[in-house]
Amino acid sequence: MLLFLLSLGAAGIPFPAAQEILPSGITCCDEEKIRLAMTEEALARILHKTGPAASGDRQESDYLSEQAYEKIKKRLPAGSSHEQRLAFMRQWLRLPAVDRDMEEFQTLVGYFVLGMSLEIGSTLQDEYDQVVSRREKSLQWLAELEKLPRPDSKSLAQTLFRLGLSQKKLLWIRTMERKWRNVPAGSSPFDEFSILKKNMTGRAADPGRHYIFCLSGRYRSQFSFLDEFLENYRRSAADFRAAARRINEHLEILEE
């Protein structure tokens, strides 16, 4: 993603224009909070270049933040504190560019923010879309089953066939409640997400998603987009579970 953003910059497309080209708009959480968090991440990475002791043990680095540091390093107030340098860089982002270095600093940070925000936002949205799809499908199945006035084994079997509910899907629904795992208190956001995902799909989260949750969690107290995602994900999982329970009540006819 960052390489693609760099290609836009090389083509002479300014950051605001690139922002219009790339997909935007997510429903699982507040996208603006993601952008604000990634702005802080960009500044933290730049500040780390001034010396690890100034910004803790943060080790992440990338081409964009390294180049942004080159544009601002001579302007950073000498002898200033960590917070003073952060404040200075924030101001440089807000003010109109007065020279080439300031313009390039703003553009480089902008590309980083846009790229990382898109990566985080699209990842969370993709996972949310999957659970919403499962919730909607289960509600659709339930609605069709509840249309049966006096269901018997034959009419129920016909309805299940029409809905495309195979024996494998039926077995999964029948055993889902028994296998459903509650999220332990104090679980990390990624662990909670992974447990809920496995409850609904039978598959745990891709370990590759862990970095997204780790990076998002770094700014959890300032920008609550991760908690918004988890709340929406949790609610969809609860709706899905409730629908599956009701479906199971209808399926009991097949055992009579």
Side-chain angles (χ1 to χ4, degrees):
M1 177 53 64
L2 293 181
L3 290 176
F4 174 61
L5 292 172
L6 283 171
S7 70
L8 291 177
I13 302 175
F15 173 60
Q19 191 171 11
E20 294 175 3
I21 291 172
L22 295 169
S24 63
I26 58 176
T27 60
C28 62
C29 57
D30 188 339
E31 183 179 12
E32 180 61 21
K33 291 178 182 178
I34 301 177
R35 293 177 184 272
L36 290 172
M38 290 305 100
T39 300
E40 292 302 310
E41 175 67 16
L43 297 183
R45 293 187 182 201
I46 295 168
L47 190 60
H48 181 73
K49 301 294 293 182
T50 67
S55 54
D57 297 324
R58 187 185 304 276
Q59 297 297 319
E60 293 92 344
S61 184
D62 61 90
Y63 177 79
L64 290 173
S65 59
E66 289 176 358
Q67 292 302 302
Y69 168 71
E70 293 299 320
K71 301 301 177 181
I72 201 175
K73 65 180 181 180
K74 295 180 181 179
R75 309 291 183 91
L76 291 171
S80 57
S81 67
H82 171 85
E83 288 302 325
Q84 287 172 331
R85 292 189 173 198
L86 274 178
F88 179 81
M89 288 191 290
R90 291 187 186 113
Q91 186 177 29
W92 251 47
L93 288 178
R94 290 193 298 266
L95 294 175
V98 296
D99 56 31
R100 184 64 175 171
D101 280 348
M102 192 174 188
E103 179 183 0
E104 291 184 359
F105 173 80
Q106 292 174 348
T107 299
L108 288 163
V109 172
Y111 280 134
F112 176 90
V113 172
L114 181 58
M116 293 303 296
S117 297
L118 184 58
E119 183 174 354
I120 292 173
S122 61
T123 296
L124 296 181
Q125 187 65 39
D126 178 60
E127 294 293 349
Y128 180 63
D129 287 343
Q130 290 181 43
V131 67
V132 168
S133 176
R134 289 203 170 242
R135 180 193 67 190
E136 295 304 312
K137 181 63 70 175
S138 66
L139 290 173
Q140 177 188 348
W141 291 339
L142 178 60
E144 291 297 318
L145 292 174
E146 290 184 337
K147 287 180 182 179
L148 297 174
R150 292 183 178 178
D152 53 33
S153 296
K154 182 178 179 180
S155 62
L156 180 59
Q158 291 174 339
T159 300
L160 294 175
F161 178 79
R162 178 168 55 82
L163 292 175
L165 280 166
S166 64
Q167 289 297 320
K168 183 177 180 180
K169 289 180 181 178
L170 288 174
L171 178 61
W172 181 74
I173 292 174
R174 296 295 281 158
T175 59
M176 188 198 71
E177 186 62 30
R178 177 170 54 81
K179 295 179 180 179
W180 192 277
R181 181 185 170 195
N182 293 323
V183 179
S187 295
S188 70
F190 180 77
D191 287 343
E192 177 179 1
F193 158 70
S194 186
I195 290 170
L196 291 175
K197 182 180 177 72
K198 188 170 184 179
N199 284 340
M200 290 179 287
T201 66
R203 299 185 302 275
D206 182 343
R209 302 293 206 199
H210 185 268
Y211 177 72
I212 294 295
F213 281 78
C214 181
L215 182 57
S216 300
R218 189 176 293 165
Y219 300 95
R220 194 175 181 185
S221 62
Q222 298 168 269
F223 309 106
S224 58
F225 67 90
L226 183 58
D227 288 300
E228 292 169 356
F229 165 79
L230 289 172
E231 181 180 352
N232 287 325
Y233 200 91
R234 201 180 295 126
R235 184 183 302 113
S236 293
D239 291 344
F240 171 84
R241 185 182 188 185
R245 282 172 170 170
R246 292 284 296 121
I247 291 172
N248 269 325
E249 292 176 7
H250 289 279
L251 296 180
E252 288 175 359
I253 297 175
L254 296 176
E255 300 176 357
E256 297 176 356

